[in-house]
Amino acid sequence: MGKTLAEKILSQKSGSDARSGDIIIARVDLAFAQDTTGPLTVRQFQACNLKRLADPKKTALFLDHAAPSPNRQISNDHRLLRQFAGETGCLIYDVGGGICHQIVAETLAKPGDVIVGADSHTVTAGGLGAFATGMGSSDVAIAFGLGKTWFRVPESIKIVLSGKFSRGVGAKDLILYLIGNIGADGATYKALEFGGDGVKNLTMSQRFTIANMAVEAGAKVGLFPTDSTTHDYLKSQGRGDHYQPLSADDDASYERTINIDLATVEPLVAKPHNVDNIAPARELKGTKIQQVFIGTCTNGRLEDIAIVADMLKGKRRHPETRLIVAPASPQVLLAAIRAGYIYSLVEAEAIILPPGCGACLGLHQGVLADGESCLSTANRNFKGRMGSPEAFIYLGSPATAAATALAGEITDPREVA
Amino acid sequence: MIRGRASKFGDNISTDHITPGRLAHLRSNLPELAKHVLEDADPTFASRVEKGDFIVAGSNFGLGSSREHAPLVIKMAGVSAILAKSVARIFFRNAINLGLPVLICDTDNIDDGDELEVDLATGTVNNITKANQLTFGKLPEVMLRILDEGGLVPYIQKYGDFKL
Ligand code: SF4
């Protein structure tokens, strides 16, 4: 019988005939940690007496969650990570260097790779066909030292996409639709594998958005096959040689199959405090929003910023709605400056943050007050996520975020000309 | 055999409930971080939890972030095991890696304050207060071995590699 994408990649990296349910040991092509999980990763690495990295070129640290550092404790954590990188020779991306998952996508991940990161949104690289998954600090520390880890080969759920998005609808709406449909634990321990004719209509940026939120349904990975879009993306990053064609076998076996026609998806919003608490944006009209946050590993790419800049060009944000934009990487920021997007956004009275996680996890750069509501393009709306356990977080697409910033209340982007 | 009292939580307790991002500056100061364990789910938990207590939750416990600090502060609070209807994948693996048992069972009939006795070897939960018994599923062999050694760090110290 044929294999799923997950089974194929894990077979190759374990040198065995990996089938769902098997426990295997796989070689790791990249292991990484960021500034809030990295210090514990370094400590666990040291506690194991793992003197050396398996391969410094396949090990990376990112200072992105609190960048630049908002306080002394985190500055000390940053120092610890810089020291570790200095001693071991691993890759390090310092403050301002961008969000780990975006940098992994732009410069490090290859189709067919196994990637483990001490951050749950490591799944993002599934957009280009890498078996990429989040783990804790201990597991990643061992991967740093041994260059391998153990996996239970997941069962796969196949998501068959067809058609094209209609105007004002995008990848974020699709993944919110799927999570609303199967629930926040609908894919726990499983792989979500995307396929069907509709995949060719998705840009790389959209694939990353979808793969990024696979973990919000509990999935271990969100995997896309590779095609000419993947190849063109890698070429544009100067690494066309990293491409390999990758797809599931036609006779692979799936736990279940879900069909989605992209044309039927409409602008959606996840309401507080769970990602599967989905409603159409149009039904939330009248919900006042004090802060709109655009960015993160979900929707901080150039295409996302372009959508927002085009909608806000020549207009102003609502006077009672703060607007914060954080490009996901320096590459994104530079391209947005070159295209004039940043000019339009600042004219519309947006605040531009340095490349990084920004307000996403409630540490700094846009902490919510008690009772406030935020419309964010991020992936999580858990209670307390953006600083106050008494605040309310709604998740939507960049287009919904831009429409909301203009109106001061949640707004379906199709209402904005 | 572990014995303790149940502390009951609902469904979808996230890693932000357990140890929120806003406290990330305390992650290199674990005793301080542990004082806030589960603060956003139950602000009284940290002060009333006793050594040996069980966290008893509904479905999808520990969803969200990969922060190992979440099971770490739960363990530091003295919790001896987590019983839940289901547990998010990364949290599950992290807890085992820290030597904190996670037991999947039907927790609907366990109430806050119930006295429980857990036998990891036989896979049974004895509810002493209610005078009934539950069973829980077996962990994969590799996780049992890691748990047996007290966590992944002592396991790797001992074997230097994964032994399947
Ligand atoms: S942008 Fe948000 S979700 Fe993404 S890695 Fe940073 S903190 Fe995590």
PDB file of all heavy atoms in Angstrom, chain A residues 26-39:
ATOM      1  N   ALA A  26      14.290   9.287  13.827  1.00  0.00           N
ATOM      2  CA  ALA A  26      14.565   9.979  12.564  1.00  0.00           C
ATOM      3  C   ALA A  26      15.733  10.938  12.721  1.00  0.00           C
ATOM      4  O   ALA A  26      15.916  11.550  13.776  1.00  0.00           O
ATOM      5  CB  ALA A  26      13.329  10.759  12.112  1.00  0.00           C
ATOM      6  N   ARG A  27      16.498  11.066  11.650  1.00  0.00           N
ATOM      7  CA  ARG A  27      17.535  12.095  11.610  1.00  0.00           C
ATOM      8  C   ARG A  27      16.862  13.456  11.543  1.00  0.00           C
ATOM      9  O   ARG A  27      15.836  13.612  10.887  1.00  0.00           O
ATOM     10  CB  ARG A  27      18.431  11.914  10.382  1.00  0.00           C
ATOM     11  CG  ARG A  27      19.295  10.665  10.405  1.00  0.00           C
ATOM     12  CD  ARG A  27      20.326  10.704   9.280  1.00  0.00           C
ATOM     13  NE  ARG A  27      19.736  10.918   7.964  1.00  0.00           N
ATOM     14  CZ  ARG A  27      19.115   9.973   7.253  1.00  0.00           C
ATOM     15  NH1 ARG A  27      19.009   8.754   7.731  1.00  0.00           N
ATOM     16  NH2 ARG A  27      18.613  10.256   6.067  1.00  0.00           N
ATOM     17  N   VAL A  28      17.459  14.440  12.190  1.00  0.00           N
ATOM     18  CA  VAL A  28      16.884  15.788  12.235  1.00  0.00           C
ATOM     19  C   VAL A  28      17.743  16.713  11.375  1.00  0.00           C
ATOM     20  O   VAL A  28      18.954  16.782  11.543  1.00  0.00           O
ATOM     21  CB  VAL A  28      16.809  16.269  13.697  1.00  0.00           C
ATOM     22  CG1 VAL A  28      16.492  17.740  13.780  1.00  0.00           C
ATOM     23  CG2 VAL A  28      15.763  15.453  14.464  1.00  0.00           C
ATOM     24  N   ASP A  29      17.098  17.406  10.438  1.00  0.00           N
ATOM     25  CA  ASP A  29      17.826  18.308   9.538  1.00  0.00           C
ATOM     26  C   ASP A  29      18.026  19.696  10.129  1.00  0.00           C
ATOM     27  O   ASP A  29      18.901  20.435   9.703  1.00  0.00           O
ATOM     28  CB  ASP A  29      17.082  18.423   8.208  1.00  0.00           C
ATOM     29  CG  ASP A  29      17.002  17.087   7.510  1.00  0.00           C
ATOM     30  OD1 ASP A  29      18.041  16.655   7.000  1.00  0.00           O
ATOM     31  OD2 ASP A  29      15.933  16.455   7.520  1.00  0.00           O
ATOM     32  N   LEU A  30      17.154  20.047  11.077  1.00  0.00           N
ATOM     33  CA  LEU A  30      17.287  21.345  11.742  1.00  0.00           C
ATOM     34  C   LEU A  30      16.609  21.261  13.107  1.00  0.00           C
ATOM     35  O   LEU A  30      15.488  20.754  13.212  1.00  0.00           O
ATOM     36  CB  LEU A  30      16.613  22.447  10.899  1.00  0.00           C
ATOM     37  CG  LEU A  30      16.585  23.846  11.540  1.00  0.00           C
ATOM     38  CD1 LEU A  30      17.987  24.438  11.626  1.00  0.00           C
ATOM     39  CD2 LEU A  30      15.674  24.794  10.745  1.00  0.00           C
ATOM     40  N   ALA A  31      17.304  21.718  14.137  1.00  0.00           N
ATOM     41  CA  ALA A  31      16.703  21.813  15.475  1.00  0.00           C
ATOM     42  C   ALA A  31      16.911  23.244  15.942  1.00  0.00           C
ATOM     43  O   ALA A  31      17.986  23.812  15.761  1.00  0.00           O
ATOM     44  CB  ALA A  31      17.368  20.838  16.434  1.00  0.00           C
ATOM     45  N   PHE A  32      15.867  23.842  16.506  1.00  0.00           N
ATOM     46  CA  PHE A  32      16.035  25.232  16.927  1.00  0.00           C
ATOM     47  C   PHE A  32      15.214  25.560  18.165  1.00  0.00           C
ATOM     48  O   PHE A  32      14.309  24.818  18.553  1.00  0.00           O
ATOM     49  CB  PHE A  32      15.713  26.196  15.774  1.00  0.00           C
ATOM     50  CG  PHE A  32      14.258  26.277  15.370  1.00  0.00           C
ATOM     51  CD1 PHE A  32      13.408  27.194  15.965  1.00  0.00           C
ATOM     52  CD2 PHE A  32      13.747  25.449  14.385  1.00  0.00           C
ATOM     53  CE1 PHE A  32      12.075  27.291  15.578  1.00  0.00           C
ATOM     54  CE2 PHE A  32      12.414  25.537  13.990  1.00  0.00           C
ATOM     55  CZ  PHE A  32      11.576  26.465  14.591  1.00  0.00           C
ATOM     56  N   ALA A  33      15.577  26.676  18.781  1.00  0.00           N
ATOM     57  CA  ALA A  33      14.835  27.174  19.939  1.00  0.00           C
ATOM     58  C   ALA A  33      14.816  28.689  19.844  1.00  0.00           C
ATOM     59  O   ALA A  33      15.589  29.287  19.103  1.00  0.00           O
ATOM     60  CB  ALA A  33      15.507  26.724  21.231  1.00  0.00           C
ATOM     61  N   GLN A  34      13.891  29.290  20.585  1.00  0.00           N
ATOM     62  CA  GLN A  34      13.805  30.758  20.574  1.00  0.00           C
ATOM     63  C   GLN A  34      14.075  31.306  21.980  1.00  0.00           C
ATOM     64  O   GLN A  34      14.398  30.547  22.890  1.00  0.00           O
ATOM     65  CB  GLN A  34      12.471  31.220  19.971  1.00  0.00           C
ATOM     66  CG  GLN A  34      11.261  30.331  20.260  1.00  0.00           C
ATOM     67  CD  GLN A  34      10.560  30.634  21.544  1.00  0.00           C
ATOM     68  OE1 GLN A  34      11.077  31.300  22.411  1.00  0.00           O
ATOM     69  NE2 GLN A  34       9.340  30.107  21.663  1.00  0.00           N
ATOM     70  N   ASP A  35      13.925  32.611  22.136  1.00  0.00           N
ATOM     71  CA  ASP A  35      14.397  33.222  23.383  1.00  0.00           C
ATOM     72  C   ASP A  35      13.565  32.920  24.623  1.00  0.00           C
ATOM     73  O   ASP A  35      14.046  33.130  25.738  1.00  0.00           O
ATOM     74  CB  ASP A  35      14.592  34.747  23.217  1.00  0.00           C
ATOM     75  CG  ASP A  35      13.434  35.444  22.538  1.00  0.00           C
ATOM     76  OD1 ASP A  35      12.540  34.757  22.008  1.00  0.00           O
ATOM     77  OD2 ASP A  35      13.410  36.685  22.519  1.00  0.00           O
ATOM     78  N   THR A  36      12.330  32.410  24.475  1.00  0.00           N
ATOM     79  CA  THR A  36      11.593  32.055  25.697  1.00  0.00           C
ATOM     80  C   THR A  36      11.700  30.559  26.026  1.00  0.00           C
ATOM     81  O   THR A  36      11.393  30.145  27.132  1.00  0.00           O
ATOM     82  CB  THR A  36      10.102  32.464  25.638  1.00  0.00           C
ATOM     83  OG1 THR A  36       9.410  31.583  24.763  1.00  0.00           O
ATOM     84  CG2 THR A  36       9.921  33.896  25.193  1.00  0.00           C
ATOM     85  N   THR A  37      12.121  29.748  25.052  1.00  0.00           N
ATOM     86  CA  THR A  37      12.310  28.319  25.325  1.00  0.00           C
ATOM     87  C   THR A  37      13.793  27.937  25.280  1.00  0.00           C
ATOM     88  O   THR A  37      14.179  26.888  25.772  1.00  0.00           O
ATOM     89  CB  THR A  37      11.577  27.452  24.269  1.00  0.00           C
ATOM     90  OG1 THR A  37      12.094  27.783  22.970  1.00  0.00           O
ATOM     91  CG2 THR A  37      10.073  27.693  24.286  1.00  0.00           C
ATOM     92  N   GLY A  38      14.606  28.803  24.679  1.00  0.00           N
ATOM     93  CA  GLY A  38      16.027  28.512  24.481  1.00  0.00           C
ATOM     94  C   GLY A  38      16.832  28.353  25.762  1.00  0.00           C
ATOM     95  O   GLY A  38      17.640  27.429  25.873  1.00  0.00           O
ATOM     96  N   PRO A  39      16.641  29.260  26.742  1.00  0.00           N
ATOM     97  CA  PRO A  39      17.445  29.109  27.962  1.00  0.00           C
ATOM     98  C   PRO A  39      17.258  27.746  28.634  1.00  0.00           C
ATOM     99  O   PRO A  39      18.239  27.114  29.043  1.00  0.00           O
ATOM    100  CB  PRO A  39      16.944  30.260  28.849  1.00  0.00           C
ATOM    101  CG  PRO A  39      16.524  31.314  27.853  1.00  0.00           C
ATOM    102  CD  PRO A  39      15.900  30.537  26.723  1.00  0.00           C
TER     103      PRO A  39
END
